[in-house]
């Protein structure tokens, strides 16, 4: 917004009134989403801009007023990256005492990071949808409920953007590497040329036996040992899912 700060309004004021009171969207950009009640509140779409900011109305709409710490996002925001930022916070804050919160917050972070970094698959969206209900409502404290709010709204309201993110990230990666080998071990064109010229190859999610089989195949192809390294093994950083091939 143009004038971020602390504002006092009567309960039940429409969100749009609050937005106007803050000077409107930053540099006249378009509203894309907003969080009405702090990081744990499920996100709302721009179409909900006239919703009244009170506990009952927001609860019926699937969100909550919570701390009334409003977060506003414009059309330049990647909803996957924004949700990942929140998921990383909650995963860090989990004390680890109960399994649903400890494992659930970590898995939400892992899946979103995988999608955001270009290593995601369509199945990750389905897995994310299955993880979320198993975090809220069954943890020892309210952190589990808080952690699943933003992710649940991402899956429910921006699933199309998740799929677009998967496609665009993959296309961008293809432009950066000579060849790509996918989850199903399908070789995308130019990988053999890249291997023979010792260029970079991007691997998507190869683990365990699949990685071993791929290493054996490439060793046979080049008649020399070829180390196959998945992204998770490089400093556990999915932003660097590249194996370098050299003699």
């Amino acid at each position: 917004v143009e004038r971020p700060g602390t504002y006092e309004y009567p309960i039940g004021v429409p969100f749009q009134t609050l937005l106007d009171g803050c000077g409107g969207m930053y540099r006249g950009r378009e509203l894309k989403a907003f969080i009405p009640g702090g990081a744990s509140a499920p996100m709302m779409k721009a179409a909900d801009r006239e919703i009244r900011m009170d506990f009952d109305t927001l609860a019926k709409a699937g969100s909550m007023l919570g701390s009334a710490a409003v977060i506003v996002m414009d059309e330049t925001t990647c909803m996957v990256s924004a949700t990942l930022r929140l998921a990383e916070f909650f995963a860090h804050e989990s004390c680890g005492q109960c399994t649903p919160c400890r494992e659930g917050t970590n898995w939400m972070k892992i899946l979103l990071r995988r999608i955001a970094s270009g290593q995601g698959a369509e199945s990750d969206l389905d897995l994310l949808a299955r993880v979320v209900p198993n975090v809220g409502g069954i943890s020892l404290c309210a952190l589990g409920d808080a952690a699943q709010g933003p992710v649940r709204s991402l899956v429910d309201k921006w699933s199309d953007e998740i799929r677009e993110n998967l496609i665009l990230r993959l296309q961008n990666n293809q432009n950066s590497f000579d060849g790509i080998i996918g989850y199903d071990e399908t070789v995308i064109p130019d990988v053999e040329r890249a291997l023979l010229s010792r260029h970079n190859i991007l691997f998507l999610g190869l683990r365990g036996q699949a990685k071993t089989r791929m290493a054996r195949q490439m060793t046979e192809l080049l008649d020399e040992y070829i180390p196959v390294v998945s992204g998770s093994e490089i400093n556990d950083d999915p932003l660097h899912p590249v194996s370098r091939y050299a003699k």
Side-chain angles (χ1 to χ4, degrees):
V1 296
E2 285 288 350
R3 296 193 299 271
T6 302
Y7 294 83
E8 183 175 356
Y9 280 88
I11 193 167
V13 65
F15 168 77
Q16 184 63 54
T17 301
L18 178 61
L19 181 60
D20 293 338
C22 297
M25 295 298 296
Y26 180 65
R27 294 185 177 179
R29 293 173 180 168
E30 291 295 323
L31 174 67
K32 181 174 183 178
F34 64 96
I35 303 177
S40 59
M43 300 177 288
M44 308 288 290
K45 302 193 82 169
D48 301 314
R49 65 174 72 226
E50 294 298 336
I51 194 168
R52 294 192 172 277
M53 300 287 284
D54 64 69
F55 294 100
D56 293 338
T57 302
L58 286 169
K60 291 178 182 178
S63 188
M64 63 180 181
L65 186 59
S67 63
V70 180
I71 302 172
V72 179
M73 291 166 273
D74 63 28
E75 81 273 11
T76 66
T77 303
C78 171
M79 299 306 296
V80 175
S81 297
T83 309
L84 170 60
R85 186 74 174 268
L86 298 171
E88 289 177 329
F89 167 75
F90 286 113
H92 178 269
E93 292 301 302
S94 176
C95 72
Q97 184 175 355
C98 69
T99 302
C101 182
R102 180 184 65 248
E103 298 300 322
T105 55
N106 188 51
W107 269 104
M108 289 190 293
K109 178 190 72 174
I110 289 173
L111 290 169
L112 288 170
R113 184 179 289 175
R114 198 152 69 192
I115 294 170
S117 64
Q119 298 185 81
E122 181 75 19
S123 59
D124 288 333
L125 178 55
D126 297 329
L127 181 55
L128 195 60
R130 294 202 306 271
V131 169
V132 171
N134 292 300
V135 180
I138 54 176
S139 55
L140 289 178
C141 76
L143 192 137
D145 294 323
Q148 58 89 34
V151 184
R152 173 165 55 83
S153 58
L154 174 70
V155 173
D156 291 344
K157 300 178 180 180
W158 284 280
S159 60
D160 289 343
E161 183 165 335
I162 296 177
R163 292 187 177 92
E164 291 173 3
N165 189 281
L166 288 169
I167 295 172
L168 289 174
R169 298 279 184 174
L170 180 57
Q171 290 175 342
N172 289 337
N173 283 333
Q174 285 179 329
N175 292 334
S176 301
F177 295 88
D178 297 285
I180 295 179
I181 298 177
Y183 279 100
D184 58 356
E185 301 181 30
T186 301
V187 177
I188 296 177
D190 293 334
V191 68
E192 184 172 349
R193 178 185 61 79
L195 277 171
L196 294 173
S197 60
R198 305 302 193 275
H199 288 171
N200 289 338
I201 309 297
L202 173 65
F203 282 86
L204 300 181
L206 286 181
R207 295 182 179 84
Q209 293 182 354
K211 187 178 69 176
T212 302
R213 287 195 301 271
M214 186 59 66
R216 187 181 302 116
Q217 293 171 12
M218 292 183 177
T219 299
E220 293 173 355
L221 174 65
L222 296 181
D223 195 27
E224 62 182 74
Y225 174 70
I226 299 297
V228 179
V229 183
S230 62
S232 60
E233 294 175 340
I234 303 178
N235 298 323
D236 195 30
D237 187 353
L239 295 179
H240 299 284
V242 62
S243 301
R244 293 187 179 277
Y245 295 86
K247 291 183 180 180

